[in-house]
Amino acid sequence: MIHTPNVGADAWIMGLVVSGLGTILGAVNIITTILTLRAPGLTMFRMSVFTWNILFTALMVIMAFPVLTAALLVLEADRRLGAHVFSSSVAGPMLWQHLFWFFGHPEVYIMVLPGFGVISEVLPVFARKPIFGYKAIAASTVAIAFLGFLTWAHHMFTAPIPEGILVFVMLSSYFIAVPTGVKVLNWVATLWRGSIEFRTPLLFCVGAIAIFLIGGISGIFLATFPIDWQVNETYFVVAHLHFVLLGGAVMPIFAAIYYWFPKMTGRMLSEGLGRLSCALIFLGILTTFLIQHVMGLDGMPRRVYEYDTVGHLQLYNVISTIGSFILAAGVAATVVNVVLSLRKGTVAGPDPWQANTLEWFTASPPPANNFDVVPLVRSAEPMKDIRREVARRSGGDASPSGATVPAGARQVGV
Ligand SMILES: [Cu+2]
């Protein structure tokens, strides 16, 4: 029997199949491009950390998305072709949960790994130091991608699963804290004793690390299955999820917008509005979601629009609602910033941050062919090499951050 007989659910299922196919094909494109179309001299270990993270995100996509896409097609076959794969008479709901979460857990990393890449890309630029432990950061990305496929059943701790498997899933979930901890340690070490410029992209990254850390810590709680049995289906889980995704994906996306907007449009975003936006988003996240841990521990179930007025639940919900307005104001500040700066922003020039990677070699916005001459890459920080070379030829300041690359150098290639 179909509980949702209308065609809407079919449109939803087949829409996800089509978008899943698009995601898979996009990942194939990304992997092939990274493996076969790098600039001369750009070895794998000279790639930017962002590119490493995008590569492993794409690999996770082609492992995880086909499973979801196939499961959705089977679901549609159940609904319209009379198949009974997910029928409760053959333990179908358990099979659905396994297939969904085999996709669903890696999907979290598919969302946060690009964010981690942005953080690893932005921190060294504004600390004026190379990234601390380049290979450790790349290796931790590989480890997160691998371990991410062993832990899906931690979303099913209350389903009937043998206890031995629960223990295995609990331990493998704990292990993910190790490579994640390596990343956080390397980020802090990158900032350590750097000559830090507190520009908006950096502020968003530092905020992202702090927010993500809170989500990581409540993740350790939830990976412990006796605790999960207590807080499963409560607001504690809602709080955890939002700290992970707002810290791991959303705040880095804002950092990326502020960092690459000058390259994309040729104009800078306003620093003042950027800082205001960052402060409001950071405060908004804390106000909205910290209190939700307490709501969950007090027993408020998730997915409700009404709740009991027992204890302080009403007060907590009001605090959370106020926080969501602060958060929304922060997002609005960036929207206003983008609209205003598109027309009136300071002209950026090719390399406004004195950054390290090759996109800053070409004009802002880049021409259709990207580079008139494809530059030769000699290290993991090619723009530093280019600035040093330009300074040497002009006999001026030889420090890699002191010299600017003149427009002529961009035409002939250095
Ligand atoms: Cu998970």
Side-chain angles (χ1 to χ4, degrees):
M1 184 185 96
I2 301 177
H3 290 282
T4 49
N6 292 338
V7 73
D10 300 294
W12 172 80
I13 292 167
M14 293 313 290
L16 275 176
V17 167
V18 173
S19 94
L21 193 64
T23 311
I24 294 164
L25 292 174
V28 170
N29 190 351
I30 286 170
I31 295 167
T32 335
T33 305
I34 293 176
L35 293 183
T36 63
L37 284 176
R38 298 193 305 278
L42 185 56
T43 62
M44 291 297 277
F45 281 105
R46 287 178 185 169
M47 291 194 317
S48 70
V49 180
F50 179 75
T51 315
W52 269 105
N53 280 31
I54 291 295
L55 174 64
F56 276 85
T57 304
L59 285 169
M60 291 184 87
V61 164
I62 60 170
M63 302 262 294
F65 269 78
V67 175
L68 175 73
T69 308
L72 287 164
L73 284 171
V74 173
L75 181 62
E76 188 60 17
D78 271 12
R79 288 174 57 86
R80 294 295 166 205
L81 305 177
H84 291 280
V85 178
F86 296 130
S87 134
S88 52
S89 58
V90 290
M94 275 295 281
L95 176 62
W96 170 262
Q97 286 189 58
H98 277 295
L99 291 174
F100 178 79
W101 286 113
F102 183 82
F103 152 81
H105 181 79
E107 166 66 8
V108 176
Y109 297 102
I110 289 168
M111 285 190 271
V112 302
L113 276 186
F116 288 176
V118 170
I119 296 174
S120 301
E121 191 82 19
V122 166
L123 291 188
V125 171
F126 295 96
R128 303 283 164 221
K129 270 174 68 189
I131 185 94
F132 181 88
Y134 173 98
K135 284 195 177 167
I137 287 201
S140 65
T141 301
V142 179
I144 289 174
F146 174 74
L147 288 169
F149 282 100
L150 300 180
T151 63
W152 77 88
H154 66 205
H155 296 272
M156 303 165 61
F157 276 153
T158 53
I161 292 175
E163 238 163 62
I165 294 180
L166 296 189
V167 172
F168 170 79
V169 172
M170 177 175 78
L171 293 178
S172 55
S173 305
Y174 286 167
F175 274 126
I176 294 196
V178 177
T180 315
V182 167
K183 278 191 193 294
V184 173
L185 181 88
N186 281 278
W187 290 332
V188 174
T190 302
L191 291 175
W192 185 257
R193 297 199 170 165
S195 38
I196 297 174
E197 270 183 72
F198 286 101
R199 306 294 292 270
T200 308
L202 180 77
L203 293 175
F204 269 108
C205 285
V206 173
I209 296 171
I211 297 292
F212 180 79
L213 205 57
I214 298 174
I217 290 168
S218 59
I220 301 277
F221 284 50
L222 287 168
T224 312
F225 61 86
I227 297 180
D228 184 85
W229 288 347
Q230 289 295 316
V231 296
N232 183 60
E233 290 290 330
T234 72
Y235 257 71
F236 192 90
V237 179
V238 179
H240 162 72
L241 172 124
H242 282 88
F243 274 99
V244 167
L245 286 183
L246 288 162
V250 175
M251 287 195 77
I253 286 173
F254 278 86
I257 290 171
Y258 279 88
Y259 182 63
W260 278 299
F261 186 88
K263 180 51 67 185
M264 291 188 289
T265 66
R267 288 184 187 273
M268 306 296 287
L269 285 166
S270 145
E271 274 290 310
L273 271 174
R275 279 156 198 248
L276 177 71
S277 171
C278 184
L280 288 173
I281 287 176
F282 186 72
L283 277 176
I285 291 171
L286 290 179
T287 316
T288 311
F289 297 108
L290 263 185
I291 197 76
Q292 291 185 358
H293 294 104
V294 186
M295 286 149 67
L297 291 173
D298 282 358
M300 179 166 156
R302 60 192 291 199
R303 304 191 180 102
V304 293
Y305 67 95
E306 283 178 326
Y307 46 88
D308 265 320
T309 48
V310 291
H312 301 295
L313 274 188
Q314 171 108 41
L315 173 69
Y316 297 161
N317 276 281
V318 169
I319 293 172
S320 194
T321 304
I322 293 170
S324 71
F325 278 91
I326 301 174
L327 180 49
V331 176
T334 288
V335 173
V336 171
N337 200 351
V338 166
V339 172
L340 291 181
S341 302
L342 268 177
R343 272 176 292 150
K344 293 184 184 160
T346 319
V347 174
D351 184 19
W353 309 118
Q354 302 276 301
N356 305 322
T357 41
L358 272 184
E359 71 270 33
W360 306 102
F361 186 57
T362 188
S364 308
N369 59 334
N370 287 345
F371 300 101
D372 293 339
V373 177
V374 180
L376 178 69
V377 178
R378 301 191 192 91
S379 77
E381 296 184 316
M383 276 305 280
K384 271 192 189 166
D385 302 335
I386 291 169
R387 273 187 227 110
R388 202 176 280 132
E389 182 67 17
V390 167
R392 194 184 62 78
R393 286 191 193 178
S394 65
D397 178 3
S399 77
S401 57
T404 42
V405 180
R410 283 163 215 288
Q411 293 309 310
V412 297
V414 184

